[in-house]
Each structure stands twice: as C-alpha cells, then as structure tokens.
Amino acid sequence: MSAGPDWSGRTLQVRLGPPGHGGFCVARHEGRVLFVRHGLPGEVVRARVTEDRGGSFCRAEAIEILEPSADRVTPNCPVSGPGGAGCCDFAFATPEAQRGLKAAVVREQLQRLAHWDTDIVVEPLPLGPGNEAPAGGAAPERSGEVPETGWRTRVRLVVDAEGRAGVHRYRSSDVIADLRCPQPVSGAVVGIAESAWTPGAELVIAVDADGMRHVVELAPPSTPPRRGGDRRATAARRAAAHARRRERVVSGSGRAVQYVAGRRWDVSATGFWQPHRDAAQRYSDVVADWADLDPGSIAWDLYCGVGVFAARLAEQAGPRGSVLGVESARSAVADGTAALRDLPGVDLHADRVERWIATQDRVPRVVVLDPPRAGAGKQVVTPLAAAGPARIVHIGCDPAAFARDVGLYREAGYRVRELRAFDAFPATHHVECLALLERA
C-alpha cells in the first residue's frame, strides 16, 4: 500500500465538520481526513498541515478564519494558538459553544464504543458556597458564578535548558516560557517566570483551600525523555513525569489543605487532587446522591485516592457498615487514612485494583470508581461486574475510555440509569463524565 502524499507544511482551504475527541474539528480534502485545531464546525479556514505520517489522515491548525462561526470570540489565552501550547483548545469559542462541542464528542464516543445513543448535556461547574478566594484572588460576587478563567488550583510546569518555567508546545517536548494562560487561580504563578529553576526540572504549584500556595520543584528525571511527537516519545515523557523524583519545597509547606463536605484533608501538594476549585465537592455530592446506601451496607471505593468518596459512603453506611477503598499510591492511602481516622468502618488499602478485587468474597451494595485517564478496562470491569454490586458509580475524564467502559458494563448486564457530564476544564477539550449503572 502506498504511503500517499506528504502534505507537511501545506496550507489548504477547507470547511470544518464535526468536533473530534482531542480538541479538533474534522475536515476532508482530496479524499483524506484532516484533524484541524483552532476551528469550529462549519467554519471555512486556511489550515496548515503540521503533521503527516501518510495514511488516511493528517493533523493541521487553522491559521486564518475565512468564514467564522457565530460562536467564535476573541481567544483569552495567548499561549495556545497555532504553534502554541495545548492548554486552551477552545479559548476562541463561547462557553456555551465549548460545552456543546464536548457534548457532541461524548455522544459520538458513546455511540461508537458503547453502541448507545443518548442525549448529553455538559453542565457548567460554578463555584459552590463555601469556596474561598485563593491566593490573592477575588471572591466571586455571588454563589453559583461560573468562572471561565481562574479555575485551576493545581498547575504543573516544565523548565527549559535556560532554567525558565513554561509549558510544552502541543505534541512536542519544546518548552514555551510563557505563563499567561488564564486557567490558574489568581496569584498561582506570581513570581514564577522571574525566577531561575533547575534545567530539566518540573514545578508543581498547588493553591489549597486555605489560600496557601505551595511550590515544589521536582528534580529532572534520571533518564531524559525522548524528543519528538510520536507515541513512544509521548509514553516515555509520561513515564518520566510519573517516576518517583526528589522534591524540593520552594514555598508553602508542601502539604495542601483541602475541604469536602466539611471534612479536612492534608495532602501532598504533588499528589492528585481535582484541579477545578469546586470539582471534588460537586462530584462527591453526586456520588452521595446516587449511592443511596442503607445503614450497615458494604461499599467499595476503587482508585480511592485520599478517600473523598469513601467518606461520603461511610456517612450513609454508618458505624455498622463497611467501606473498603483501594489505591495504588501508598502516600495517598496514608493521607486518606489519617483524614478518615474517625470513621472506623473505612479501610483503605494500597494495591492494584484488579488484584484487590480478586481477593474479595463479600458482595458490595455500591461500588464507586474513578480510574485514571486510561479508564478501568476489561481487567477491572469484568471482575467488578462479576462481583454483582447493585449499583456502580463510574467516573471518567476521557470520553473514549469512559465510553469503552460503559460498553463493557452494558455487555455485562448493567444499564445506565443516570449520566451527567461537567465542564470541569473550561476552555479545554476535557470533560468529566459520571454514570450510575444498575443491573438490567
């Protein structure tokens, strides 16, 4: 089979079609598919091809908008345009249009991977009551205000060879030393651009619920990540980013204070916490509503992190109930155990989820799971469904992985009773989905 023409660097005039998973719109030219970033459905654009490996598709960026959509606005992120970073994929669209694009992608993924057609509404994620202004930011004027900027409380930056902090160029290991992205909460990156850092290091910035900013420098990886934009290079960079590295606390204590439903957690600033200021509270409220546990029930919290959902389940199960959590990160289990020490019915374990499920012999009433971006997959969904819980609450931040897992549940005899999607990552293509599944 012929490799086909190489369109790298060519500029093509195309009309954009529907959105695709990953922050682009689909277009066609001379029988080939283009994945075009920085455009909206229906627009006519001049698109420059940025990546062509042959085959049926290539990647491009809209560098000139010839027929703009009514949903187009002036982008508020100067870092993410053509040739820039991958942070704010949809900064050029109205908030309503952004949510419509995400809803279309979720629906298409569910149709294709779960063989299920359903309407999707992506809900905005406003700041709820009790959220305080972070690190020099102004409190919202009213409860329920929807912040399209200044919502991210956790930021991870990379340091270039000159010691400047920045972000990666889209699908590249190049560093853009420009911190003007509007996502971080006010004050999060103050002084970072003016400081010199260890070349090759990474910075983790966390602004906690008490308004304290924690800045931690992670030492450069022992093995430099591969350069380039192919899958192997991307996988190598991710592996290097998640490998254990020496930490240097630059400001703050390195221990972030967080609150959900009136309970306090002291967690590592470099550990996982939902980046949106209101996400942890909102998701835990949905989980509590859907779980509807009877006192004395058994529940599982898989990929439990520090036990935010386990705490809400324990409130319902009561002192006679049992909530078992499992998480591979030992530090998160330690932090969660400390935060939930007043709940004797909660027992958090450090283990791989699929291995832990195989050791269980009691049937849970409810299972909550919030797997990483790759989803749970057959190795977890199959034994989980075989355990026979009455209800499963599944949370996913990647539409494709989420849809695949929903399809696996449906094949195992579960049906989706409720589905909600939240715009927890404004101006980006990311969306958080929650499904309540019950036995058919």
Side-chain angles (χ1 to χ4, degrees):
M1 177 174 139
S2 171
D6 183 357
W7 289 357
S8 298
R10 285 187 59 182
T11 299
L12 311 170
Q13 181 172 317
V14 294
R15 183 177 294 277
L16 301 182
H21 174 39
F24 56 81
C25 285
V26 179
R28 297 181 184 276
H29 184 79
E30 296 182 0
R32 298 185 75 195
V33 173
L34 279 74
F35 296 155
V36 184
R37 286 169 51 80
H38 312 302
L40 291 169
E43 290 186 329
V44 175
V45 306
R46 284 169 53 82
R48 182 175 59 228
V49 177
T50 57
E51 185 180 321
D52 186 358
R53 300 180 186 175
S56 61
F57 76 94
C58 54
R59 300 180 186 275
E61 294 181 320
I63 57 173
E64 184 180 356
I65 311 302
L66 302 178
E67 295 182 17
S69 165
D71 293 325
R72 179 171 285 276
V73 297
T74 301
N76 61 12
C77 178
V79 187
S80 65
C87 51
C88 298
D89 311 87
F90 296 149
F92 50 84
T94 66
E96 295 78 11
Q98 292 177 29
R99 293 192 286 272
L101 292 170
K102 298 179 189 190
V105 168
V106 173
R107 180 176 182 179
E108 189 274 334
Q109 294 295 312
L110 287 169
Q111 288 174 330
R112 185 169 63 87
L113 298 175
H115 308 293
W116 181 46
D117 190 4
T118 187
D119 290 332
I120 301 291
V121 175
V122 175
E123 306 172 42
L125 196 59
L127 295 176
N131 285 274
E132 302 299 330
E141 294 181 0
R142 62 191 185 278
S143 174
E145 180 180 354
V146 179
E148 301 301 337
T149 61
W151 53 268
R152 179 179 284 275
T153 63
R154 294 201 169 209
V155 181
R156 190 158 180 149
L157 304 173
V158 290
V159 180
D160 68 12
E162 283 73 46
R164 302 172 300 176
V167 293
H168 278 131
R169 196 177 306 279
Y170 179 68
R171 292 180 65 82
S172 171
S173 59
D174 294 344
V175 177
I176 301 174
D178 189 335
L179 303 182
R180 291 178 295 159
C181 176
Q183 291 181 11
V185 295
S186 179
V189 297
V190 169
I192 300 297
E194 294 74 30
S195 301
W197 306 96
T198 303
E202 293 187 50
L203 303 180
V204 175
I205 302 170
V207 180
D208 70 17
D210 284 347
M212 177 174 286
R213 183 179 73 161
H214 308 268
V215 180
V216 182
E217 185 185 75
L218 303 180
S222 56
T223 302
R226 295 166 55 102
R227 297 182 64 82
D230 63 8
R231 289 184 178 180
R232 288 180 296 176
T234 300
R237 284 197 298 272
R238 287 176 178 168
H242 290 91
R244 188 170 182 82
R245 294 152 69 179
R246 189 176 69 257
E247 299 182 2
R248 179 173 70 93
V249 178
V250 178
S251 67
S253 65
R255 301 289 300 174
V257 174
Q258 307 290 171
Y259 301 95
V260 178
R263 180 175 292 275
R264 170 178 170 142
W265 275 264
D266 290 271
V267 301
S268 169
T270 59
F272 175 78
W273 191 267
Q274 292 289 346
H276 192 288
R277 292 169 59 181
D278 196 48
Q281 180 66 57
R282 183 60 58 92
Y283 302 161
S284 73
D285 287 344
V286 174
V287 166
D289 179 43
W290 285 355
D292 194 25
L293 275 174
D294 295 325
S297 297
I298 299 172
W300 293 352
D301 182 4
L302 309 182
Y303 308 96
C304 67
V306 297
V308 170
F309 300 142
R312 302 302 298 271
L313 296 172
E315 292 172 0
Q316 298 179 359
R320 295 186 295 108
S322 176
V323 178
L324 305 177
V326 61
E327 162 65 44
S328 62
R330 294 184 179 276
S331 59
V333 170
D335 290 344
T337 299
L340 309 182
R341 57 183 175 271
D342 62 312
L343 299 174
V346 175
D347 190 6
L348 306 184
H349 300 263
D351 203 347
R352 293 184 61 85
V353 169
E354 59 271 27
R355 183 166 56 199
W356 181 86
I357 292 176
T359 68
Q360 303 305 300
D361 56 7
R362 299 178 66 190
V363 177
R365 172 70 179 170
V366 172
V367 175
V368 178
L369 66 162
D370 185 5
R373 189 172 300 279
K378 280 187 177 181
Q379 69 273 20
V380 170
V381 173
T382 298
L384 172 56
R391 288 185 169 189
I392 298 172
V393 180
H394 188 103
I395 304 165
C397 61
D398 179 90
F402 177 80
R404 179 206 61 206
D405 288 343
V406 167
L408 292 172
Y409 289 121
R410 284 164 55 84
E411 291 174 4
Y414 283 83
R415 64 179 179 87
V416 181
R417 177 177 162 185
E418 294 194 52
L419 177 66
R420 296 183 71 177
F422 291 102
D423 190 14
F425 309 90
T428 79
H429 72 271
H430 299 290
V431 58
E432 196 88 11
C433 298
L434 293 83
L436 171 61
L437 300 114
E438 294 182 339
R439 281 203 170 277

